[in-house]
Amino acid sequence: MNRNISFIKNDKGLLISFVFILILLVGTRERNIGTDTINYFNFYFIPITTQVRGYFNVFTRIDSDFLFEVLVSFSYWHNNFKIFLLMTATLMNVSLYMFVRKFTEYGKKGSSLILFLTLASSFSFMSIEINILRNGLSICFILLSLYSILEKDIKMFIIYFIVAYLFHRTAVIPFILILVVNLSEKVDIKYFVAFYVLAILGSLVGIGFHSITFLSGLGSEDLQGLSYVGETSYGVGFRYDFVVYNTFFLALFLKFTNWNIRDTFLIKYYTLGSVVFFFNFYIPFSDRFGLYSWIIIPLLLFNTINEAFPERKIFISTFVLIGFYILNNIILFP
């Protein structure tokens, strides 16, 4: 217990150091790092710095989400691509820092550092950091919005959602899921699980959101950008690997959660987020929709350990963190 107290006292400083190093690594990367970095350079930075004659012309030249346009528009003034990358990395990781500090009640409920590292151990984390930047920025504010609704802070929930939506319009998906979960507080979890199973069966036989024009169009600008460099070979169809992955963690949480109000909310959201993901298997790059369920896994792992092992939570959560990293980045998705 004394070691735990000592660790928590240094937790904030360690986390700040990690976030600072991460910002430097991600924000100063070369253009050939990641699949999409060069796309952001070619389709946003080059037009802004060479093809527009005034600052406000940036917003007519660039066809993207509004807050991302604002962020990339500063390139008109500084004319340095790495400054844009550094600004994006700073905004993204400072937002994640704010979230993990809030979610852990500033270290009172456990280590903010371990929660951040667990998030960073997700196999999709580096893709968020260096490839799908708009999705990544949006997800950071979705997490803050999710925390606000758990705290019943409706005002901040709406503000964070608006910011997330203005970075990427697919934020409407988790927003709707959060509202559905909030309105179905008295609905038993077994009905969510039944819907989850039906979604798997439906997706298996070809039912999905690809037949709904509005939903199939979400994020289509990402696909158009990738098509310029021939990155459109992403396979579509039922993904057994992702179904097994999501189901494994759902079963884990159903078995070991303490069923308090917050965790029940998160499990219901995770279930519906997985359903949305399964119904998008027939849309290219469906894993980008999977992000809205995967971001919940580290949160539920963190909460389950803290509640089940309050006196050894630092020790056990460290081993779970290592196992989560090995599972995602070495065994399943090396």
Side-chain angles (χ1 to χ4, degrees), residues 133-151:
L133 301 184
R134 283 174 295 157
N135 293 73
L137 289 164
S138 179
I139 283 171
C140 294
F141 288 95
I142 287 168
L143 286 170
L144 286 166
S145 182
L146 183 62
Y147 170 79
S148 298
I149 200 67
L150 290 174
E151 294 294 310

Side-chain angles (χ1 to χ4, degrees), residues 159-295:
I159 290 174
Y160 284 132
F161 162 71
I162 291 173
V163 174
Y165 181 81
L166 291 177
F167 270 121
H168 205 277
R169 61 192 178 120
T170 55
V172 71
I173 295 173
F175 177 74
I176 293 173
L177 297 183
I178 290 171
L179 291 182
V180 170
V181 173
N182 202 46
L183 292 173
S184 57
E185 184 177 356
K186 296 182 179 180
V187 177
D188 194 273
I189 188 65
K190 66 183 179 182
Y191 296 107
F192 284 81
V193 175
F195 186 38
Y196 179 95
V197 174
L198 288 174
I200 294 175
L201 296 176
S203 180
L204 183 61
V205 297
I207 298 173
F209 290 146
H210 56 288
S211 58
I212 303 175
T213 304
F214 169 72
L215 292 173
S216 63
L218 283 175
S220 61
E221 70 279 5
D222 293 325
L223 311 185
Q224 293 167 5
L226 287 174
S227 67
Y228 291 116
V229 291
E231 294 288 345
T232 56
S233 59
Y234 185 93
V236 297
F238 189 79
R239 294 293 300 268
Y240 293 93
D241 51 348
F242 286 143
V243 169
V244 171
Y245 183 84
N246 279 44
T247 303
F248 168 76
F249 283 104
L250 177 60
L252 193 69
F253 299 136
L254 291 175
K255 174 67 175 178
F256 294 104
T257 188
N258 289 324
W259 296 108
N260 56 52
I261 295 175
R262 292 169 67 117
D263 287 357
T264 300
F265 187 100
L266 291 174
I267 291 175
K268 287 180 176 180
Y269 172 90
Y270 176 75
T271 304
L272 293 182
S274 298
V275 167
V276 170
F277 180 32
F278 300 157
F279 281 144
N280 274 296
F281 280 161
Y282 297 89
I283 297 175
F285 302 99
S286 61
D287 51 332
R288 299 190 180 192
F289 294 92
L291 291 167
Y292 296 126
S293 61
W294 297 332
I295 58 174

